[in-house]
Amino acid sequence: MPEGDTVWNTARVLEKALLGEVLTGSDFRVPRLATTDLTGWTVAESASRGKHLLLRLTRDGRPPHTLHSHLRMEGAWRAYAPGERWTARPAHLIRVVLRTARSVAVGYHLHEVMLVPTAEEERLVGHLGPDLLGADWDPAEATRRLAAHPATSIAEALLDQRNLAGVGNLYKAETLFLRGLWPWTPVADVPDLTGTVELAQKLVASNRGRWTQTTTGSLRRGETSYVYGRRAQPCRRCGTAIRKADQGERITYWCPRCQPEPVSEAG
């Protein structure tokens, strides 16, 4: 599940494979960059911003540029040795290939692939809220942004990358379970919004540096989440069947007993 920690980990894979290396070739299989050739450019930095990947490139006599990509739900980058078979995904899903003398980076099913001057990078990511895994992480600012939309459900607000960057469906569902919050609770009715934000950051950060995402502390298959992906299975706390429902453009999971719908005081 490409969430903030997955993208951060992917940036480290590209950093290990490409940092400081001069590109000996590039192949872009997206229309807007089909004729672009990055041969001779040096990879100066591999960074993530929420769910966005940013490869910063330099070359003498030219302004630095940034190669941007977004993983969304299906995207991935893999690094291979020269001559090694590319086995991660079918070839028709390849969108970008970057070659150096010691490695080849292959981007599969990438979205929003763009090459822009690094000075203009903010037009791609400047709308994002504080990055849960970034140096700019600021829980007070994330709370302020969430609170600015009091009628929005807390589940949808956590997924809005303009509020805080890096939470996806997994961490949304797990954060709300651990806070005992019904997913449709309006932001204005969340009793400790800052505590909710800080827990989301803690969960994402706890999985930085590993590919198995867990919120329970267990890395064993079938034991890594409390509610996410567990429809109709018993809640790990109370035994009630976990529910699943559409919410906005996404789905959500929750325990109806541990995360009860508030009782209306009307009438």
Side-chain angles (χ1 to χ4, degrees):
M1 178 64 62
E3 306 208 16
D5 56 320
T6 309
V7 182
W8 189 93
N9 290 342
T10 300
R12 304 288 76 75
V13 169
L14 293 176
E15 182 178 75
K16 182 177 180 180
L18 301 175
L19 188 64
E21 295 291 310
V22 177
L23 296 178
T24 58
S26 64
D27 179 9
F28 289 94
R29 304 179 188 181
V30 292
R32 69 165 60 90
L33 296 176
T35 61
T36 299
D37 183 6
L38 293 179
T39 300
W41 287 78
T42 297
V43 179
E45 187 175 4
S46 176
S48 61
R49 184 82 170 81
K51 298 186 179 185
H52 299 251
L53 275 165
L54 306 165
L55 275 176
R56 298 180 178 122
L57 311 169
T58 59
R59 188 170 185 178
D60 289 344
R62 303 189 189 184
H65 274 61
T66 296
L67 177 60
H68 166 276
S69 61
H70 196 296
L71 301 185
R72 291 195 188 172
M73 296 296 291
E74 315 91 351
W77 279 92
R78 295 290 186 269
Y80 301 97
E84 183 180 359
R85 186 179 178 187
W86 305 346
T87 57
R89 305 279 177 88
H92 73 272
L93 294 178
I94 295 173
R95 299 293 178 265
V96 181
V97 179
L98 301 175
R99 300 177 184 274
T100 73
R102 66 177 179 86
S103 61
V104 182
V106 181
Y108 298 90
H109 216 309
L110 303 177
H111 300 266
E112 301 174 32
V113 180
M114 300 182 194
L115 183 68
V116 301
T118 299
E120 300 177 17
E121 197 176 277
E122 282 299 292
R123 71 182 175 88
L124 301 179
V125 296
H127 65 287
L128 298 173
D131 182 355
L132 279 79
L133 298 181
D136 71 327
W137 170 241
D138 183 349
E141 174 61 15
T143 300
R144 184 193 69 77
R145 292 185 180 218
L146 287 166
H149 304 281
T152 302
S153 73
I154 184 59
E156 292 176 291
L158 287 175
L159 289 177
D160 190 335
Q161 302 299 294
R162 295 169 296 182
N163 294 328
L164 64 170
V167 172
N169 226 24
L170 165 65
Y171 291 116
K172 173 210 75 177
E174 296 294 283
T175 296
L176 296 182
F177 172 78
L178 291 169
R179 297 294 296 181
L181 290 168
W182 187 54
W184 289 268
T185 302
V187 167
D189 295 340
V190 175
D192 182 4
L193 198 54
T194 299
T196 301
V197 163
E198 290 177 339
L199 177 59
Q201 193 277 335
K202 181 179 179 181
L203 291 178
V204 175
S206 70
N207 287 310
R208 181 170 46 193
R210 67 181 174 208
W211 295 104
T212 299
Q213 296 167 308
T214 179
T215 56
T216 63
S218 174
L219 297 175
R220 297 180 62 182
R221 182 183 295 273
E223 297 181 0
T224 57
S225 68
Y226 288 102
V227 294
Y228 183 80
R230 301 190 65 243
R231 182 181 66 86
Q233 296 182 49
C235 174
R236 299 192 192 282
R237 284 183 174 172
C238 71
T240 302
I242 299 301
R243 293 186 183 176
K244 171 187 175 182
D246 292 328
Q247 185 173 20
E249 297 180 355
R250 306 292 289 276
I251 58 173
T252 197
Y253 297 86
W254 80 103
C255 171
R257 182 172 181 181
C258 295
Q259 301 165 259
E261 178 179 358
V263 178
S264 174
E265 296 181 2

